[in-house]
Amino acid sequence: MKNISGAKFLLFIGMALLFILTACGNSNDEASGTNNTNNTSTTTETNNTSETDANNSNEAETNEEGNATEEEATSEKLVIGFSQVGAESEWRTANTTSIQDAITDAGHELQFSDAQQKQENQISAIRSFISQEVDAIVFSPVVETGFETVLQEAKDADIPVFLADRAVDIEDDSLWVTFLGSDFIEEGRKAAEWLVDDMADHEGDINIVELQGTVGSAPAIDRKEGFEEILADHSQFVITQSQTGDFTRTDGKEVMESFLRSDGDNIDVLYAHNDDMAIGAIQAIEEYGLTPAEDIKIIGIDAVKGAFEAMAAGKMNVTVECNPLFGPQLVELIEAHMAGEELEKRIAVEEDMYTMDQAKELLDSREY
């Protein structure tokens, strides 16, 4: 009996322990279930937070990249095609150097073409720039008209065009961004105003011969217009002869020789559309036997160093400034446009006028 009772007792203890273990197991499972639920929720929130942080981080990176891209766009290296009229004068040489140096000094790449005063060369150069896919085109038009087709090609290729020194006569002004240069009409006015004031005490008619610039070019057209506008109110001033000297010293001398042969004793004033033609004409006047600046008053435009030398020597009366050293300003305009800034269609360079009395003092300071 004792043995049976002992066995039953052991069986009872074993079953009791099994029941306790089972209950403990269920309790741990429930606790584990609760913990699992909490863990799942925590994981979801963590994931959401991580995704939000990641999104914010991506947005920040995107913004930083966007800002960097915008900054790079304003300072990135550009390829700039530059088509110059030619090298017909001291002024043109100084202008070419100013623009070339400004482009390279700013860290941009320059593609340069000298049109040698031929429109067909300039149109060919612009087409070459387009085919090279340059970032911008700068050109000083040989003449005002005839560029519509090639400028439309540049616009279709999404290449901005900047006019330097000379303008174009085209109805669609969306074909170029802006014009930077002189007010040629005002230069002509200044020349005429000086003449009217200087010869206010002269009695009788005053005969003027005119050396025009390249036919059809903006400075030739405008300088003549401004000059004649002022003289229209002063009937004693008469332009007796007018012919192109093509802005060159050689042609200026040759045309002046022709003027002198036909009416040398009756010429009171020479109005030259640039200093180089005036300097060439001075040589012709001296060879003819007259004294320049005394027998014939000499008016030029550009204010190149050669004109100051002529004035200092008493051979030229006055020159109206046309500043060629605007290369840095031009590059700033190109960069501003590339950065999204809207520019005015015409931007004028500030200029002055100089007489014989000022020449010696200013000669050494002239940069061109």
Side-chain angles (χ1 to χ4, degrees):
M1 291 291 293
K2 285 182 180 179
N3 290 338
I4 295 173
S5 297
K8 287 182 178 180
F9 176 78
L10 289 173
L11 179 61
F12 172 80
I13 293 299
M15 291 178 66
L17 288 172
L18 180 60
F19 175 81
I20 292 169
L21 288 173
T22 301
C24 289
N26 289 339
S27 174
N28 288 337
D29 285 345
E30 288 174 5
S32 251
T34 303
N35 287 338
N36 285 342
T37 302
N38 290 338
N39 287 341
T40 301
S41 175
T42 302
T43 301
T44 302
E45 290 174 3
T46 302
N47 287 341
N48 288 340
T49 302
S50 298
E51 288 174 6
T52 302
D53 291 342
N55 288 337
N56 290 337
S57 176
N58 288 338
E59 287 176 6
E61 289 175 6
T62 301
N63 289 335
E64 288 174 3
E65 289 174 1
N67 291 336
T69 302
E70 185 176 348
E71 289 173 3
E72 288 170 5
T74 62
S75 61
E76 66 179 348
K77 179 177 180 180
L78 303 172
V79 179
I80 301 174
F82 172 31
S83 174
Q84 181 61 284
V85 172
E88 77 282 2
S89 64
E90 289 182 59
W91 190 98
R92 187 64 55 190
T93 300
N95 179 247
T96 299
T97 301
S98 176
I99 295 175
Q100 288 176 325
D101 289 350
I103 290 172
T104 55
D105 289 349
H108 304 307
E109 181 181 333
L110 170 69
Q111 297 294 330
F112 177 74
S113 175
D114 182 340
Q116 300 178 332
Q117 294 184 284
K118 295 180 180 179
Q119 184 180 32
E120 58 268 27
N121 291 348
Q122 200 155 51
I123 290 174
S124 177
I126 293 172
R127 288 203 167 111
S128 176
F129 295 151
I130 294 171
S131 68
Q132 294 175 54
E133 299 182 345
V134 300
D135 297 301
I137 293 173
V138 173
F139 88 114
S140 182
V142 175
V143 294
E144 286 189 335
T145 60
F147 289 100
E148 288 92 342
T149 300
V150 72
L151 293 187
Q152 183 63 56
E153 291 171 14
K155 181 179 179 180
D156 292 342
D158 200 25
I159 300 175
V161 174
F162 298 80
L163 303 178
D165 172 49
R166 297 184 179 184
V168 291
D169 184 8
I170 298 175
E171 186 174 348
D172 183 3
D173 64 3
S174 71
L175 297 181
W176 73 91
V177 176
T178 188
F179 160 84
L180 173 65
S182 302
D183 186 337
F184 301 131
I185 294 177
E186 183 60 23
E187 290 171 355
R189 292 189 189 116
K190 286 179 179 178
E193 286 167 351
W194 176 87
L195 179 60
V196 169
D197 183 64
D198 184 73
M199 302 194 74
D201 297 331
H202 184 88
E203 296 182 1
D205 289 345
I206 299 168
N207 298 322
I208 305 167
V209 293
E210 180 182 33
L211 285 171
Q212 295 185 45
T214 303
V215 175
S217 68
I221 293 169
D222 292 351
R223 286 170 182 171
K224 183 175 182 63
E225 179 183 335
F227 191 74
E228 293 180 348
E229 176 188 312
I230 299 301
L231 296 189
D233 295 329
H234 304 275
S235 60
Q236 71 271 35
F237 292 92
V238 182
I239 298 176
T240 58
Q241 298 184 81
S242 182
Q243 188 175 324
T244 180
D246 212 24
F247 284 126
T248 68
R249 193 171 298 194
T250 300
D251 287 356
K253 181 176 184 292
E254 290 180 359
V255 175
M256 190 65 199
E257 288 172 341
S258 174
F259 290 163
L260 290 165
R261 283 194 301 268
S262 64
D263 198 23
D265 295 335
N266 295 312
I267 299 174
D268 300 306
V269 179
L270 164 65
Y271 169 49
H273 286 189
N274 81 339
D275 290 335
D276 278 76
M277 291 189 295
I279 293 168
I282 288 170
Q283 185 179 349
I285 292 168
E286 290 178 318
E287 292 175 359
Y288 186 78
L290 296 176
T291 303
E294 292 184 17
D295 295 327
I296 299 177
K297 292 188 180 292
I298 311 293
I299 303 170
I301 296 179
D302 280 351
V304 299
K305 195 162 190 175
F308 278 78
E309 291 169 345
M311 289 191 295
K315 297 181 180 183
M316 187 170 175
N317 300 87
V318 65
T319 181
V320 179
E321 185 178 34
C322 180
N323 186 0
L325 307 180
F326 55 73
Q329 185 179 0
L330 176 63
V331 172
E332 288 177 3
L333 292 174
I334 294 172
E335 292 175 340
H337 173 75
M338 293 301 185
E341 184 176 331
E342 187 172 346
L343 306 177
E344 295 181 9
K345 293 302 289 186
R346 188 178 183 94
I347 300 172
V349 179
E350 291 186 6
E351 296 163 337
D352 210 333
M353 182 173 66
Y354 303 96
T355 63
M356 184 189 295
D357 297 337
Q358 301 169 286
K360 287 183 180 179
E361 182 180 350
L362 297 174
L363 179 57
D364 292 339
S365 66
R366 299 306 293 171
E367 298 183 45
Y368 60 94

